[in-house]
Amino acid sequence: MSDDEADPELLALLRQHLQGKLTLHDGPETGVLQGAEYVYDNAIDVAIDMRACKNAAAVIYAQMQQKGYSPATWAAHELHPSRAELGDDAMVAFVFTMDLLNFSFWSELPEAERFTIEYRGRRWTGYWSLVAALRRALDEGIPITDSHFWQDEEECTLDVLRHVFRSCTNEEMPLLAERLACLREAGQVLYEKYECHPANLIDEANGSAAALVNLLARDFKCFRDEHVFEGRRKPIRILKRAQILAADLWACFEGEGYGDFWDIDKLTMFADYRVPQILNSMGCISYSPPLSTAIRTKRDIPSGSNWEMQLRACSIWCVELIRREIVKQNPDCRLNAILIDFFLYDTIKEMEAAGQETVPHHRTRSIWY
Ligand SMILES: Nc1nc2c(c(CN[C@H]3C=C[C@H](O)[C@@H]3O)cn2[C@@H]2O[C@H](COP(=O)(O)O)[C@@H](O)[C@H]2O)c(=O)[nH]1
């Protein structure tokens, strides 16, 4: 075919698109948003306040504009390593390891006694303690981001992991044995299916964030964050760490190379224990009296329970409604659920640091978030 003859198949696709018959954004779906809406439609303990969401949309958008929120915000955090520092493949391995273990840092101990990592002369807690511990391990020559190491039962032992995550207080990192199990499983799957390199997983997703999320949920039990809701045959997919892994890659590679996903806007908010907290403090979601009491008295809310599923799924749906409201109020804006989520997480952490938390976050201990 000479250069000036267009490919008939391409012409047919173009014709369908122009006739509105083909949304070029077809492609893999994760099903997370649909499941979140289903739970919201059947929730009785969590409600969404549309007026508060409209107000929140305006406030969030204004502050995100003012702070210039963009994928580059990720690398702006002083503790996140940069691509330049690590190189692309080591950066992928770091982000993969980080989001494999990115769960359950909360503690009931006072600030001075809770699990804390000392690194570069500072004390890091919560999510940042994970980032600090991984960087400290690499500085110490421990190959904590190498999947061969994860599989080596002589080298990568629970005691070595205790050393990697040693606290400068008496409290051990929560769920340490579970974290070792995640590393072991991921090492095994990467060995069996992806020649030991997470970068091969990204290549397999072929530029689709939804496909990457689905591959993670399909091949790794420890990423398969899905739970039965009210006996429904199909489990509800939340996939928080699988989604935040795709989002962190997109952000740290600023949408290029290993972070280049054509469907990145399909990802939803990451249902953790911090964003529901700020949504509740902004009045966007509210709780039934029993659930509200359970959260305010810091009672354990079991993983996969009806209350917990409502909390997580309604938060996902609430952020989607805020996102739609932001787009309605600012038609040309390019914000997606990821950047709104990152902003909400960072904001509640600033509020926590300033002692301005008005409601506690909910207490669920699990490997999912
Ligand atoms: N939804 C959502 N959840 C997030 C994050 C992050 C950090 N992301 C960084 C990357 C870009 C952003 O700008 C952030 O700087 C951690 N988490 C989750 O929160 C919990 C940790 O809470 P705490 O113990 O208080 O630090 C735990 O479940 C963890 O998985 C986020 O962004 N969104």
Side-chain angles (χ1 to χ4, degrees):
M1 179 175 70
S2 70
D3 285 356
D4 55 4
E5 282 169 43
D7 172 347
E9 267 188 46
L10 189 63
L11 273 178
L13 274 176
L14 203 53
R15 201 172 296 114
Q16 277 184 311
H17 178 55
L18 293 172
Q19 291 159 358
K21 291 194 186 115
L22 173 80
T23 47
L24 285 185
H25 294 295
D26 278 348
E29 292 293 340
T30 65
V32 172
L33 203 53
Q34 293 78 349
E37 185 177 20
Y38 174 86
V39 173
Y40 169 66
D41 288 343
N42 292 274
I44 53 170
D45 295 285
V46 181
I48 291 176
D49 180 314
M50 269 322 291
R51 176 156 311 289
C53 285
K54 281 185 191 304
N55 296 338
V59 169
I60 289 167
Y61 181 69
Q63 289 189 9
M64 289 183 75
Q65 290 297 93
Q66 190 201 347
K67 293 185 173 181
Y69 252 77
S70 77
T73 312
W74 195 95
H77 285 285
E78 61 173 307
L79 207 55
H80 280 152
S82 71
R83 277 172 71 186
E85 231 176 310
L86 294 186
D88 285 3
D89 281 333
M91 190 75 224
V92 168
F94 188 93
V95 171
F96 185 88
T97 311
M98 188 183 73
D99 284 323
L100 192 55
L101 304 175
N102 189 358
F103 56 83
S104 215
F105 308 104
W106 58 267
S107 165
E108 295 307 5
L109 294 180
E111 198 56 22
E113 297 166 45
R114 66 177 294 192
F115 168 71
T116 305
I117 296 286
E118 218 156 52
Y119 180 64
R120 289 189 175 172
R122 287 187 51 187
R123 295 164 75 102
W124 307 90
T125 58
Y127 161 80
W128 296 109
S129 68
L130 168 66
V131 183
L134 294 179
R135 297 200 66 167
R136 182 176 67 182
L138 292 176
D139 291 355
E140 292 172 351
I142 301 170
I144 191 65
T145 60
D146 179 343
S147 69
H148 301 89
F149 177 69
W150 305 342
Q151 289 188 84
D152 186 333
E153 304 203 358
E154 265 75 57
E155 292 294 312
C156 183
T157 63
L158 190 58
D159 277 345
V160 168
L161 221 57
R162 267 198 196 96
H163 174 74
V164 167
F165 292 108
R166 63 192 183 280
S167 173
C168 58
T169 68
N170 291 329
E171 187 179 44
E172 186 175 82
M173 180 179 225
L175 301 181
L176 207 58
E178 288 76 0
R179 293 178 205 273
L180 178 56
C182 288
L183 293 173
R184 286 267 197 276
E185 187 213 350
Q188 184 63 25
V189 174
L190 286 172
Y191 167 73
E192 285 167 359
K193 296 189 162 209
Y194 298 102
E195 292 164 20
C196 302
H197 292 288
N200 295 332
L201 185 60
I202 300 165
D203 293 343
E204 175 84 13
N206 199 19
S208 161
L212 177 58
V213 168
N214 290 339
L215 283 175
L216 286 162
R218 185 192 73 186
D219 294 347
F220 300 82
K221 280 197 312 296
C222 63
F223 276 110
R224 198 173 303 145
D225 176 10
E226 51 187 43
H227 313 274
V228 172
F229 177 68
E230 293 185 343
R232 191 171 179 257
R233 188 183 48 76
K234 237 170 122 236
I236 299 291
R237 306 184 96 201
I238 304 282
L239 304 181
K240 180 256 176 193
R241 287 194 290 105
Q243 290 201 93
I244 204 170
L245 170 53
D248 283 340
L249 288 168
W250 170 71
C252 82
F253 282 90
E254 295 192 49
E256 296 165 3
Y258 287 119
D260 181 2
F261 299 110
W262 58 269
D263 60 348
I264 193 69
D265 293 349
K266 281 188 184 172
L267 298 190
T268 71
M269 163 265 189
F270 317 114
D272 70 326
Y273 50 87
R274 283 296 183 186
V275 178
Q277 180 188 15
I278 189 170
L279 292 174
N280 179 235
S281 57
M282 295 173 86
C284 296
I285 61 174
S286 57
Y287 306 138
S288 65
L291 176 54
S292 178
T293 303
I295 291 174
R296 268 186 299 102
T297 57
K298 301 182 182 178
R299 248 176 47 206
D300 176 63
I301 297 179
S303 174
S305 64
N306 190 290
W307 272 356
E308 192 229 17
M309 287 300 288
Q310 290 182 58
L311 269 170
R312 299 184 79 196
C314 294
S315 296
I316 290 172
W317 189 243
C318 180
V319 170
E320 173 59 14
L321 295 179
I322 289 171
R323 185 194 67 77
R324 292 180 185 180
E325 188 58 32
I326 287 176
V327 172
K328 209 162 92 184
Q329 295 170 14
N330 313 276
D332 57 351
C333 99
R334 284 282 304 123
L335 285 188
N336 56 24
I338 297 171
L339 291 176
I340 295 168
D341 172 285
F342 283 174
F343 168 79
L344 289 171
Y345 171 84
D346 289 335
T347 303
I348 188 67
K349 292 302 284 178
E350 287 161 12
M351 289 166 69
E352 179 196 34
Q356 289 166 348
E357 287 173 287
T358 51
V359 288
H361 66 74
H362 72 277
R363 263 64 175 175
T364 296
R365 190 65 81 188
S366 89
I367 68 163
W368 305 119
Y369 59 99

